[in-house]
Amino acid sequence: MVSLIGNVLVFGLIAILLSSCAAGVKVIDTYKIEKKREPLAIENPAPLELQDIDWIIITKENAEEVFEKVKNNKNGDYALFALTDTGYEKLALNFADIRNKLAEQIQIILSYKEYYESE
């Protein structure tokens, strides 16, 4: 008796599962809408306006004179930063790398702008 009830339940469950699969699959309609590219509303960046810096070159010959001139400065405190010739060369190379990277980024922006605003 228990096995008969078990068989009926198993066959009933299988029948329910199979009947739900037999209903068919709905087809989803897809369509494509082409949208015109919007022009980028990006203004060209303004060029940098850097402040002037007064460079003081200290050599063996003028070191004492420069130190006295800086000490007698009435504009406030003073500090001296020094570079060796190789340090100055590395500083110049770093600035060149920065300029190159900026030029590269500008070219990327111009390429995006040309892509989005071309007809």
Side-chain angles (χ1 to χ4, degrees), residues 4-19:
L4 180 65
I5 293 174
N7 287 340
V8 170
L9 287 176
V10 169
F11 286 122
L13 182 61
I14 291 173
I16 290 173
L17 290 175
L18 289 177
S19 66

Side-chain angles (χ1 to χ4, degrees), residues 9 12 14 33 37 39 51 59 63 70 76 82 84 100 102-103 105 108 115-116:
L9 287 176
I14 291 173
I33 298 175
R37 284 188 217 134
Q51 299 180 17
T59 62
V70 171
T84 62
N100 290 340
L102 282 173
Q105 294 301 316
I108 290 171
Y115 173 78
Y116 278 101

Side-chain angles (χ1 to χ4, degrees), residues 33-60:
I33 298 175
E34 291 191 26
K35 185 176 179 182
K36 184 178 177 183
R37 284 188 217 134
E38 296 290 327
L40 296 176
I42 299 174
E43 294 181 18
N44 290 335
L48 287 177
E49 294 180 18
L50 302 176
Q51 299 180 17
D52 291 332
I53 298 173
D54 295 327
W55 288 87
I56 301 172
I57 308 298
I58 301 174
T59 62
K60 293 177 188 177

Side-chain angles (χ1 to χ4, degrees), residues 3-4 6 10 16 23-24 35 37 40 62-63 80 87-89 105-106 111-112 116 119:
S3 66
L4 180 65
V10 169
I16 290 173
K35 185 176 179 182
R37 284 188 217 134
L40 296 176
N62 73 349
L80 297 176
Y88 188 78
E89 183 179 333
Q105 294 301 316
I106 288 170
S111 297
Y112 272 111
Y116 278 101
E119 291 300 322

Side-chain angles (χ1 to χ4, degrees), residues 62-79:
N62 73 349
E64 293 299 323
E65 177 187 337
V66 171
F67 285 135
E68 285 302 318
K69 190 176 179 181
V70 171
K71 284 181 186 177
N72 295 331
N73 185 6
K74 303 289 189 235
N75 294 332
D77 291 337
Y78 62 90

